[in-house]
Amino acid sequence: MFNKPVVFVIGAGASSEYNFPLGSALKVSIAKKIKFRFEPYSPDPKEGDYDLLQHIRRHTGDQARSNDYTRAANDLASAIDSFISIDEALHFVRASPEAVEVGKIAIVNEILIAEGKSSLAISSNTGRVTLDESNSGWLGRLFSMVIAGLEKTELASAFENVTFINFNYDRALEHYLYWALQLKTSASAEEAKKIVSELNMIRPYGSLGPLDWQEPKGTAYGYPHHVDPFSLITGIRTYTEKAPFHDANKVASVLAQAKMLIFLGFGFHPQNLDVIKAPPPNKFLQVLATTFGFHSETVGAVRGRIIKNLQPASALMMSMKSADLLQELRQNILIALE
């Protein structure tokens, strides 16, 4: 139970604990799928993803425009290897709307596929999520902390002191909580839906949109079939775009009130770090951050940027994965927020 305000900042490393791809793997997969090569006089690609090509053709409805998109796709595919992420590659080709759109439909497709392959995927046999394996992940450990000390009658207010700043496009967080509330606390589907819909959720770069249980036109978790990815790209931004979806004043407000700020699986890109600012500084704020896999010099630089942006009471950088931090520091967190 969290009786004081806490903010969780969620990055790609957190989702990777459920078998989602990190940026390095994502860009390699996208580059392969949008590099279109054709045999003479054949409409089908000998290289590149057939389904993505069909989406492009349906979207354009015109052979000449389709060719514009495939040429732009090949330009993007050639550039990707020189950049650390698909976001930076899209920034490089931003003068070409076709290249940016192809890159974004490829992102949408990859994330939907990753949802379906994740350890949170819905079972084709039961139509439900099997949570046994995911209990040891960060979502399971977070959920356990949220409901610790609660009575069932208090479930509706379990997350009232929790804010998520989620930098990921996937819907793993909402998906997990919806099922965990039903399977672990015997909440009804409607009760779970209401609790999840009322989460304090900030998504600076958007998401794949609502799930099918959230809205009639929502997209099922991990189900790319019969989905037009062009219809979903208006809901995502990359970090190099100038118009993120978040309200900077809202971010500043929740950070100013927070007792604790916890970074989980965050990559600490400078532009993303600068989303996390709290003017004026919150001198009561405690910061925890996972830095698994980071060089010690990088950790020092990141800690310095966090202190500059937030001026917190403390900033503890832990070389742990998200689930391990929430397990090992569970009591520290609960005591600080009681």
Side-chain angles (χ1 to χ4, degrees):
M1 182 193 311
F2 299 138
N3 290 319
K4 295 177 182 176
V6 56
V7 177
F8 290 91
V9 181
I10 312 300
S15 287
S16 75
E17 296 184 24
Y18 293 95
N19 302 324
F20 283 83
L22 290 170
S24 55
L26 182 66
K27 72 166 190 171
V28 169
S29 181
I30 288 175
K32 182 178 180 180
K33 289 185 176 182
I34 64 172
K35 185 176 182 179
F36 296 109
R37 295 290 184 270
F38 299 87
E39 295 284 4
Y41 309 110
S42 173
D44 296 333
K46 67 175 182 179
E47 293 180 35
D49 188 83
Y50 177 83
D51 290 334
L52 284 180
L53 180 60
Q54 295 310 305
H55 284 303
I56 290 170
R57 287 173 171 167
R58 283 192 290 268
H59 179 70
T60 60
D62 176 84
Q63 184 62 48
R65 287 295 291 143
S66 178
N67 290 343
D68 291 340
Y69 273 81
T70 54
R71 280 192 294 268
N74 287 333
D75 290 344
L76 175 58
S78 297
I80 284 176
D81 187 54
S82 297
F83 296 93
I84 63 169
S85 70
I86 182 63
D87 296 53
E88 289 195 358
L90 286 174
H91 179 71
F92 179 73
V93 299
R94 65 182 298 183
S96 168
E98 295 86 0
V100 172
E101 287 192 8
V102 168
K104 286 189 173 183
I105 66 166
I107 291 172
V108 167
N109 191 61
E110 288 297 295
I111 299 302
L112 281 171
I113 290 172
E115 286 181 346
K117 291 182 177 180
S118 74
S119 55
L120 299 174
I122 294 174
S123 168
S124 58
N125 295 325
T126 65
R128 293 188 167 203
V129 176
T130 302
L131 295 182
D132 294 344
E133 181 181 344
S134 60
N135 284 340
S136 59
W138 72 270
L139 283 166
R141 288 172 177 169
L142 170 63
F143 187 77
S144 174
M145 294 169 72
V146 169
I147 65 172
L150 282 182
E151 296 182 20
K152 188 175 179 181
T153 55
E154 301 172 305
L155 200 57
S157 61
F159 291 90
E160 66 179 4
N161 288 315
V162 181
T163 297
F164 298 100
I165 303 178
N166 192 345
F167 283 79
N168 299 333
Y169 300 131
D170 66 69
R171 291 84 50 86
L173 176 55
E174 294 92 336
H175 173 72
Y176 176 88
L177 293 178
Y178 174 72
W179 285 102
L181 285 162
Q182 295 177 72
L183 299 177
K184 292 177 176 291
T185 70
S186 300
S188 68
E190 280 302 311
E191 289 170 332
K193 176 181 175 180
K194 186 173 188 298
I195 292 170
V196 174
S197 69
E198 294 175 354
L199 290 174
N200 301 313
M201 181 75 71
I202 299 171
R203 285 186 174 270
Y205 303 128
S207 75
L208 298 191
L211 289 150
D212 54 347
W213 50 264
Q214 292 178 299
E215 291 185 10
K217 293 185 178 180
T219 305
Y221 183 87
Y223 194 75
H225 311 291
H226 311 299
V227 174
D228 175 13
F230 280 98
S231 70
L232 300 179
I233 62 175
T234 56
I236 65 174
R237 297 277 192 275
T238 62
Y239 67 73
T240 63
E241 293 182 89
K242 293 183 179 180
F245 288 114
H246 73 285
D247 181 340
N249 291 328
K250 183 176 181 181
V251 172
S253 176
V254 298
L255 292 175
Q257 298 174 45
K259 174 68 174 177
M260 184 169 281
L261 173 67
I262 303 177
F263 290 92
L264 297 176
F266 199 58
F268 302 107
H269 188 282
Q271 187 163 330
N272 291 343
L273 263 179
D274 285 344
V275 171
I276 314 299
K277 285 186 175 180
N282 178 351
K283 295 183 179 180
F284 300 99
L285 180 67
Q286 299 178 55
V287 175
L288 292 176
T290 60
T291 58
F292 183 81
F294 284 83
H295 189 278
S296 59
E297 291 295 323
T298 300
V299 173
V302 167
R303 185 174 185 274
R305 188 66 160 261
I306 290 172
I307 290 172
K308 177 184 176 183
N309 285 357
L310 299 171
Q311 298 182 40
S314 63
L316 185 60
M317 318 300 283
M318 306 295 293
S319 182
M320 296 178 173
K321 292 186 176 182
S322 303
D324 295 332
L325 182 142
L326 295 181
Q327 178 71 9
E328 297 298 324
L329 298 184
R330 175 187 173 98
Q331 295 308 321
N332 305 56
I333 296 168
L334 288 175
I335 289 171
L337 297 172
E338 66 182 358

